[in-house]
Amino acid sequence: MISFQKVTIPADGEKIEVKDEKLIVPDFPIVLFIEGDGIGPDIWKASKEIFNEAVKVVFSDKKKVKWTEIFAGEKALKNYGEGNLLPDETIEAIKNFKVAIKGPLTTPVGKGFRSLNVTLRQKLDLYACIRPCRWLKGTPSPVKAPEKLDVIVFRENTEDVYAGIEWHYNSEEVKELKKFLKEKYNVLLGPETGIGIKPISRFCSRRLVRKALKYALTHNKGKITLVHKGNIMKYTEGAFREWGYELAGEELQGRLILEEELNAKYDGKIPEGRILINDRIADSMFQQILLRPDEYDILATTNLNGDYLSDACAAQVGGLGMAPGANISDDIFIFEATHGTAPKYANLNKVNPGSLILSGVMMFQYMGWNEVADIIYKSLEDTVQEKTVTYDLARMIEGAKEVSTCEFAGNIIKNIKRRAG
Amino acid sequence: MSLNIVEKILKEHLVHGELEKQKTIGIKINQTLTQDATGTMTYLEFEALKLETVETELSVSYVDHNTLQEGFENADDHLYLQSIARKYGILYSKAGNGICHQVHLERFGMPGKTLLGSDSHTPTAGGIGMLGIGAGGLDVALAMAGEPFYLIYPKIMRINLIGRLPSWVCAKDIILKILQILTTKGNVSWAIEYGGDGILDLDVPERSTITNMGAELGVTSSIFPSDERTLEFLKAQGREEDFIELKPDLGAEYDKVIDIDLSKLEPLAAAPHSPDNIVPVKDLRDIDVNQVCIGSCTNSSFKDLMKVAYILKDRKVNPGVSLVISPGSRQVFINLLKYNAVETFLKAGARIGESVCGFCIGSGMAPGTDGVSLRTINRNFEGRSGTRSARVYLVSPEVAACSAVTGRITDPGEFGLSYPQIQMPDKFFTDDSMILMPEDISERKKVTIYRGPNIGNPPENYPLPAQFKAEVSIKLGDKITTDHIMPAGSRLKYRSNIEKYSQFVFESIDPEFYKRCLKNKKDNVANIIVAGESYGQGSSREHAAICPMFLGVKAVIVKSIERIHAGNLINFGILPLKFENAEDYEKLKKADILNFENLKEALIHEKPLKIHNKTQDYYFNALYDLTSRQINIILAGGMLNLIAEGSF
């Protein structure tokens, strides 16, 4: 076992292993957590109590999560000193223990700082961002029938315009690039023009689509949609579409069905054991999730599309306060709140822990502790339906009573106990 | 509509029927191949059709089975085949030019075309994206006459090969794994289409190793797409003009899908005595080996044998082992010479065999008593090696070569060598001078056919009587192979002399069988064969039907029967029947007298046959799965009679 400076590994904890991209979970698994900045400590405290209670009612004391704190953001600075926003030890611990859950992290303002979230993704090659968007009963939503949307967005995490290959309009690099483009390809760019580069590769596109396809296959999801803007950006977004279909053909041929065939031969009903694969141009996709939300299961897309789309889907079922997420590679799984640090509410015991709780639900599902996941989800749903909720939901739900983060968590725990009988 | 590869080829070649699952269809055959063992009968039958030339795009007659020539018979057969080829427009691949499937792949196979061969391993051509089907000689004779080939429109299975093979695991291990999953039973009337990202790591000969042993699964055919690897092979053969791309449409339908994660495979072996008796090689280590045979249409390509050379380089064959290497074709042999592989073989102490089927069909190289023989071939049925007590394991060339050195069954991963990266040459040395072209069409009439004393005529049969008396002449168990029915090996030389060859039917099980049959035949009593599951599995050997016909067998009654053999029985007027109730199999005894009553009427109305067991006095039902066309063939007493009647 590796020795750590500031991380305390529970002596009675057991390591989660990963085989074939699946978690093999012992009875007393070590699960890492990063509290996060701003409101992070508030929501983590609430969530952890809920998680522990749910595990306890399901497994008595036969199984237990061995929470292990690792540090990033401000708490890392405190523990490791100046400049240590993301200590090597944190990365090492994640590589070693595979599963982590984290609160929001602040990205320091100023030149030269990259977002901690992006750094984590790049250092650990967390190439797939997974964002389930499903309406939790009782949550206020801007649409008439939010229950019709139940999708999971698989967003490519490592390339596209987010890869950070871009230069200031006044930089030397831009001057050189403009010269190169003019001389080599007769492409003329106007004055004061910033330049960014959009790389989309076969390798990254394929592994993201593979992840989505595997998910569809193992979770009995019947439809997968490649979302792209390939009509305009043929060699990046268009290529993503092409490679997506290519991969599907190579790995799932025989289990696939195309839209044309589905309508002509099966009257729109997907035959048992097969997966519909189609594609949508991104702008049309945004219309579709509003107009025909129940026609979609899994959306696999490039980074920028995925960024917009996952937030739009989340908004449709009640907003980021209740939207879980995960960033994963083939053997590392980080579950995280999708919202920011909201520093003005820090330590006020006020905000909604829903996003982190639901990320925990997702984590328990990946761990195969489905009963735990279920009881948390249902108890959260009960609590929202009882209309005793945090301020953000209370102001949107008629007749709701505003409660603190702690009280909200306490109500969820009450419901967990009630459900467990 | 999205189509898979098999559907694409069948659709393009459809002449009769509709593309509906499990219905009989007739398809156009572009190419045919024969080998000498089944070829003589095929051409005797073709002669009976009295045509001037073959009507196919290409027909090739190979000599690769009977080349030992212990007497005049084999050589006479070769001359007969050579003269027939000259006369009827057939290409003739002389003895020594190579094993039919390997040579055909190298020189003639074309993606998207159909190939009918009088050899059960004809689906080897599937490696190049060609629909190769094994059939009886008569079917091949008819295909050469331009008639469609009739088959049941198969169910289509997709096997996705996903990921990359670990070191020392190869194509042979993939097909052995599939044999473990699907077994040799229950795959009749299926076709397999391979795909998945893993196929890009397999070149054409490797793909052919996989489609070749589809025969052991009992499927109608196996096929790979035609892609950049196919083009690469055709280029290396100087035949890139024969290339077309052939891939399934995205979203095509299949009746079954199996995924195989290549990264999980390990070296495997088929232990005695069935190709589906699969065991990891590491579980067999420390078994002493007496003989190692590397070759056959399954594993004798250039790359296979270069891997063997890599393992044998600067090493010696274990003193306790006799190692035989037979390159699959003269082309492979010459290319191995150019890369100094043959020198390596000889220095290591290997014996070099001709480029023929040889040990794979029990023609030579019989192991010693209780001998353990490791072979890279496709079948290890009991006794097929020529030694009843021998134990034959089917393995990859890598396992075979490593074991030849250590003297024990050896997992090559434990041999201490790094895995070689052997690439196919950009261009093979090619020389077709041992493939003889037919006579110019205007000159063909002048060619006289050479007939040695051992070339007979196709035996005669009489139309099926409306009712008849019969005796259960033999009662057999499960998995009776065509080797059991009609032994090859040293008996094969009689195959063009039906009267003589018929004496060896069921020789290994009941040497008196033929005598009983001939007596019954004289007394006007029909002979009946009774057997359990998977009767007739193994090869397309037509003699397994012709000789029983000669002996007066009128029906086989079984629990289940293999496709090719059932087709052969029908063609020669023998009824393939299935017990309606499996218990009736138990009840029936050898030497029971049976009465077939109102037979003709039942067949015409497609009703189950009601058979009276006179000895035990009870009735039982037998079922059959025959098209109206096949019923006509049976009633006429076989296809030849039907053709002779002119009603075909």
Side-chain angles (χ1 to χ4, degrees):
Chain A
M1 179 87 55
I2 320 164
S3 66
F4 293 96
Q5 266 188 304
K6 311 271 179 183
V7 178
T8 316
I9 309 297
D12 51 352
E14 299 162 312
K15 213 175 128 180
I16 294 177
E17 300 288 348
V18 179
K19 201 177 171 217
D20 299 333
E21 303 177 34
K22 285 195 192 90
L23 297 174
I24 300 168
V25 182
D27 290 344
F28 299 95
I30 292 170
V31 174
L32 307 172
F33 70 91
I34 296 172
E35 252 187 12
D37 299 326
I39 55 173
D42 276 355
I43 59 172
W44 170 247
K45 183 168 168 277
S47 302
K48 185 172 147 186
E49 280 173 23
I50 293 165
F51 297 156
N52 283 342
E53 186 61 31
V55 173
K56 194 173 162 190
V57 302
V58 171
F59 294 122
S60 304
D61 285 322
K62 288 189 194 103
K63 292 188 185 190
K64 211 175 230 175
V65 177
K66 296 291 171 184
W67 301 107
T68 305
E69 181 162 21
I70 52 172
F71 306 97
E74 284 162 23
K75 213 166 173 184
L77 288 181
K78 251 183 254 162
N79 273 287
Y80 292 84
E82 202 62 32
N84 266 313
L85 275 166
L86 188 60
D88 290 346
E89 194 164 280
T90 296
I91 299 289
E92 277 315 304
I94 298 173
K95 281 185 183 164
N96 193 47
F97 293 105
K98 313 294 185 194
V99 179
I101 183 163
K102 76 179 248 307
L105 290 172
T106 311
T107 297
V109 186
K111 257 197 169 171
F113 286 111
R114 298 203 66 178
S115 144
L116 283 180
N117 290 322
V118 171
T119 311
L120 256 180
R121 281 171 211 170
Q122 290 188 338
K123 284 203 165 174
L124 296 168
D125 196 26
L126 304 170
Y127 64 82
C129 173
I130 303 175
R131 294 272 297 265
C133 298
R134 170 184 171 194
W135 184 63
L136 187 123
K137 260 182 237 161
T139 314
S141 153
V143 297
K144 278 187 215 155
E147 71 282 359
K148 284 190 178 169
L149 186 75
D150 181 2
V151 299
I152 302 173
V153 180
F154 281 75
R155 169 189 171 200
E156 207 291 322
N157 239 348
T158 62
E159 50 182 13
D160 200 349
V161 287
Y162 270 51
I165 312 170
E166 57 170 4
W167 294 276
H168 190 268
Y169 63 86
N170 245 339
S171 64
E172 272 309 304
E173 289 89 342
V174 162
K175 275 183 209 153
E176 278 178 45
L177 280 168
K178 280 166 79 171
K179 186 163 170 268
F180 175 79
L181 289 171
K182 186 183 165 197
E183 285 171 4
K184 190 93 178 168
Y185 302 113
N186 199 27
V187 173
L188 300 175
L189 296 178
E192 299 188 7
T193 306
I195 296 180
I197 286 182
K198 178 184 175 80
I200 301 272
S201 69
R202 183 166 183 263
F203 174 78
C204 291
S205 303
R206 282 169 58 102
R207 68 177 178 174
L208 186 271
V209 175
R210 179 185 289 121
K211 202 64 143 185
L213 280 171
K214 275 196 176 168
Y215 189 93
L217 208 61
T218 48
H219 290 77
N220 265 331
K221 295 282 182 185
K223 300 164 223 154
I224 173 158
T225 305
L226 305 170
V227 183
H228 60 92
K229 192 67 188 154
N231 55 333
I232 307 300
M233 292 172 270
K234 295 193 170 57
Y235 306 115
T236 49
E237 296 275 328
F240 175 83
R241 170 187 179 276
E242 186 185 323
W243 289 322
Y245 277 120
E246 172 195 82
L247 177 108
E250 280 173 24
E251 301 198 358
L252 276 191
Q253 179 72 307
R255 298 203 172 86
L256 300 174
I257 187 161
L258 300 182
E259 234 159 9
E260 189 195 16
E261 193 124 358
L262 181 71
N263 296 326
K265 228 167 137 179
Y266 295 97
D267 201 21
K269 282 195 194 103
I270 300 172
E272 181 71 28
R274 294 177 73 183
I275 294 171
L276 171 70
I277 183 160
N278 57 14
D279 69 289
R280 294 286 181 270
I281 291 170
D283 42 58
S284 149
M285 190 70 237
F286 279 89
Q287 285 191 54
Q288 295 271 310
I289 54 161
L290 278 167
L291 301 176
R292 322 176 92 171
D294 47 356
E295 290 182 13
Y296 299 90
D297 279 346
I298 289 180
L299 310 177
T301 188
T302 52
N303 197 314
L304 184 59
N305 295 332
D307 189 20
Y308 300 157
L309 195 57
S310 52
D311 280 13
C313 290
Q316 199 165 321
V317 293
L320 285 186
M322 297 292 272
N327 286 293
I328 69 178
S329 71
D330 288 337
D331 63 348
I332 291 172
F333 302 74
I334 299 183
F335 301 87
E336 61 184 54
T338 54
H339 51 69
T341 53
K344 68 174 178 176
Y345 294 115
N347 304 315
L348 297 180
N349 189 22
K350 186 175 169 73
V351 296
N352 181 358
S355 174
L356 192 57
I357 295 171
L358 288 170
S359 298
V361 168
M362 220 177 145
M363 180 183 81
F364 286 117
Q365 285 167 344
Y366 270 81
M367 286 167 63
W369 291 12
N370 290 318
E371 282 173 80
V372 176
D374 278 356
I375 202 164
I376 298 172
Y377 188 89
K378 284 180 184 146
S379 302
L380 172 61
E381 202 164 54
D382 295 341
T383 311
V384 172
Q385 284 177 301
E386 286 159 6
K387 301 186 182 182
T388 50
V389 288
T390 49
Y391 84 97
D392 56 319
L393 296 175
R395 68 186 174 186
M396 314 266 296
I397 304 174
E398 227 185 277
K401 181 185 166 214
E402 181 185 328
V403 294
S404 71
T405 310
C406 274
E407 285 171 288
F408 184 64
N411 289 339
I412 295 171
I413 288 172
K414 247 185 261 168
N415 281 319
I416 289 176
K417 286 183 171 152
R418 180 184 53 78
R419 280 187 168 270
Chain B
M1 251 341 77
S2 301
L3 297 178
N4 60 48
I5 299 174
V6 179
E7 286 169 340
K8 283 184 183 186
I9 296 179
L10 290 178
K11 193 177 168 196
E12 201 185 305
H13 290 81
L14 188 72
V15 228
H16 282 176
E18 277 172 58
L19 291 179
E20 227 177 289
K21 293 276 142 107
Q22 302 302 302
K23 291 267 168 68
T24 298
I25 54 170
I27 57 167
K28 180 171 174 50
I29 295 298
N30 303 122
Q31 299 184 357
T32 63
L33 73 75
T34 55
Q35 36 92 339
D36 52 303
T38 54
T40 45
M41 275 309 294
T42 307
Y43 294 109
L44 283 167
E45 286 151 1
F46 181 76
E47 280 189 86
L49 300 173
K50 305 204 184 324
L51 291 168
E52 284 186 11
T53 177
V54 291
E55 301 283 345
T56 48
E57 290 167 21
L58 174 87
S59 287
V60 191
S61 172
Y62 293 91
V63 176
D64 57 6
H65 271 58
N66 294 306
T67 55
L68 280 183
Q69 296 165 231
E70 291 168 303
F72 60 89
E73 298 92 342
N74 292 167
D76 280 356
D77 287 358
H78 302 171
L79 288 172
Y80 167 74
L81 292 170
Q82 188 171 340
S83 60
I84 286 276
R86 271 182 75 200
K87 190 174 178 69
Y88 291 110
I90 298 155
L91 273 61
Y92 178 71
S93 172
K94 289 175 76 177
N97 191 49
I99 303 172
C100 58
H101 305 302
Q102 176 68 26
V103 177
H104 208 84
L105 198 66
E106 291 166 356
R107 307 308 302 150
F108 304 113
M110 284 168 79
K113 300 263 185 188
T114 53
L115 169 71
L116 195 70
S118 64
D119 188 280
S120 54
H121 289 104
T122 306
T124 310
I128 206 164
M130 182 175 212
L131 190 69
I133 301 175
L138 187 60
D139 284 328
V140 177
L142 291 170
M144 285 192 286
E147 292 293 330
F149 173 65
Y150 290 89
L151 75 161
I152 292 175
Y153 182 83
K155 286 182 274 184
I156 301 162
M157 187 185 314
R158 167 88 180 186
I159 298 188
N160 287 310
L161 305 179
I162 312 275
R164 312 201 80 159
L165 286 169
S167 291
W168 296 110
V169 182
C170 64
K172 183 65 162 279
D173 301 304
I174 299 175
I175 186 62
L176 290 178
K177 182 73 200 175
I178 294 167
L179 274 153
Q180 184 179 38
I181 297 169
L182 297 174
T183 79
T184 54
K185 275 169 68 174
N187 305 310
V188 174
S189 292
W190 280 87
I192 299 178
E193 178 176 315
Y194 287 91
D197 62 331
I199 66 167
L200 286 171
D201 287 339
L202 302 172
D203 64 23
V204 164
E206 289 171 314
R207 293 174 178 187
S208 295
T209 295
I210 294 171
T211 59
N212 172 280
M213 284 190 77
E216 280 54 59
L217 295 165
V219 297
T220 304
S221 191
S222 304
I223 194 165
F224 274 80
S226 174
D227 56 15
E228 58 261 45
R229 299 307 304 263
T230 321
L231 178 61
E232 162 201 86
F233 180 76
L234 285 168
K235 270 187 183 163
Q237 292 289 344
R239 298 203 286 130
E240 57 204 274
E241 70 280 3
D242 288 345
F243 178 76
I244 58 155
E245 190 181 83
L246 182 63
K247 290 178 175 173
D249 296 330
L250 188 75
E253 295 201 18
Y254 299 86
D255 298 289
K256 186 173 178 177
V257 184
I258 292 179
D259 293 330
I260 295 189
D261 181 348
L262 298 184
S263 68
K264 299 257 169 55
L265 296 189
E266 57 183 329
L268 297 172
H273 296 286
S274 179
D276 62 356
N277 186 16
I278 305 300
V279 190
V281 168
K282 64 173 163 27
D283 293 355
L284 299 169
R285 67 179 145 215
D286 300 335
I287 293 180
D288 285 336
V289 176
N290 310 108
Q291 183 191 53
V292 174
C293 300
I294 300 174
S296 86
C297 57
T298 312
N299 271 126
S300 61
S301 68
F302 174 78
K303 189 166 166 182
D304 282 339
L305 298 185
M306 285 303 288
K307 283 192 277 192
V308 171
Y310 169 81
I311 292 163
L312 294 181
K313 179 101 184 134
D314 299 328
R315 290 185 177 75
K316 295 287 178 202
V317 173
N318 187 282
V321 176
S322 178
L323 168 65
V324 190
I325 301 170
S326 285
S329 68
R330 179 167 160 270
Q331 183 193 93
V332 170
F333 212 143
I334 293 174
N335 283 280
L336 289 173
L337 282 166
K338 287 188 179 293
Y339 285 79
N340 300 322
V342 179
E343 188 182 338
T344 303
F345 297 159
L346 289 169
K347 281 184 174 166
R351 304 163 68 179
I352 307 296
E354 267 198 291
S355 293
V356 293
C357 305
F359 49 76
C360 184
I361 52 162
S363 175
M365 300 297 166
T369 307
D370 301 332
V372 170
S373 180
L374 256 59
R375 299 181 167 206
T376 65
I377 63 178
N378 43 45
R379 285 178 182 156
N380 59 345
F381 305 140
E382 194 171 6
R384 186 176 162 99
S385 65
T387 303
R388 192 71 200 263
S389 66
R391 298 177 62 75
V392 176
Y393 293 82
L394 307 180
V395 295
S396 68
E398 290 92 323
V399 172
C402 291
S403 306
V405 173
T406 60
R408 309 170 261 112
I409 298 182
T410 302
D411 183 328
E414 296 169 1
F415 190 72
L417 271 179
S418 60
Y419 194 55
Q421 294 303 320
I422 290 162
Q423 298 303 324
M424 177 193 293
D426 292 338
K427 195 98 192 167
F428 284 105
F429 171 81
T430 57
D431 168 18
D432 294 333
S433 59
M434 280 182 82
I435 299 172
L436 308 183
M437 300 308 279
E439 205 59 60
D440 205 64
I441 194 141
S442 54
E443 298 295 310
R444 286 184 194 164
K445 278 209 167 107
K446 296 179 196 157
V447 178
T448 41
I449 294 170
Y450 177 85
R451 284 180 213 275
N454 204 33
I455 297 269
N457 288 313
E460 288 178 359
N461 196 12
Y462 50 90
L464 195 73
Q467 44 206 9
F468 59 87
K469 182 178 156 189
E471 184 190 339
V472 177
S473 313
I474 191 165
K475 186 175 172 184
L476 304 151
D478 291 344
K479 290 195 182 184
I480 294 298
T481 70
T482 47
D483 277 341
H484 291 113
I485 304 170
M486 207 60 258
S490 62
R491 306 301 189 200
L492 203 52
K493 63 184 175 193
Y494 299 119
R495 71 197 178 286
S496 311
N497 185 342
I498 298 305
E499 192 173 343
K500 177 77 182 159
Y501 201 22
S502 296
Q503 293 181 8
F504 306 109
V505 174
F506 293 123
E507 186 191 18
S508 67
I509 301 170
D510 181 357
E512 301 296 306
F513 174 76
Y514 84 98
K515 285 186 193 156
R516 260 197 319 280
C517 286
L518 287 176
K519 186 182 174 297
N520 279 337
K521 192 180 175 186
K522 219 174 98 197
D523 299 343
N524 212 11
V525 174
N527 292 296
I528 305 295
I529 295 168
V530 171
E533 300 281 3
S534 295
Y535 181 75
Q537 71 176 24
S539 74
S540 61
R541 198 170 300 158
E542 207 167 23
H543 289 84
I546 300 173
C547 292
M549 173 189 92
F550 176 82
L551 296 176
V553 173
K554 283 288 160 204
V556 300
I557 316 178
V558 297
K559 288 186 190 165
S560 66
I561 189 161
E562 294 296 307
R563 178 187 65 87
I564 295 179
H565 186 60
N568 285 336
L569 290 176
I570 294 162
N571 282 339
F572 291 94
I574 298 175
L575 266 168
L577 299 175
K578 278 181 231 172
F579 287 104
E580 188 178 52
N581 299 310
E583 308 92 76
D584 288 324
Y585 166 80
E586 310 297 336
K587 230 168 148 183
L588 215 49
K589 298 265 179 317
K590 186 176 159 185
D592 279 1
I593 297 295
L594 307 179
N595 276 326
F596 284 72
E597 298 163 359
N598 302 320
L599 181 64
K600 217 165 185 169
E601 203 187 306
L603 286 178
I604 288 165
H605 295 101
E606 299 186 26
K607 285 185 188 150
L609 295 188
K610 215 171 167 194
I611 300 167
H612 182 225
N613 185 334
K614 200 179 161 204
T615 313
Q616 300 186 46
D617 194 22
Y618 69 92
Y619 280 89
F620 68 97
N621 277 351
L623 307 177
Y624 50 90
D625 190 9
L626 301 172
T627 62
S628 53
R629 176 179 161 274
Q630 289 173 324
I631 287 171
N632 285 336
I633 296 170
I634 297 263
L635 291 175
M639 187 66 108
L640 289 170
N641 287 5
L642 199 65
I643 296 162
E645 283 170 17
S647 58
F648 182 68

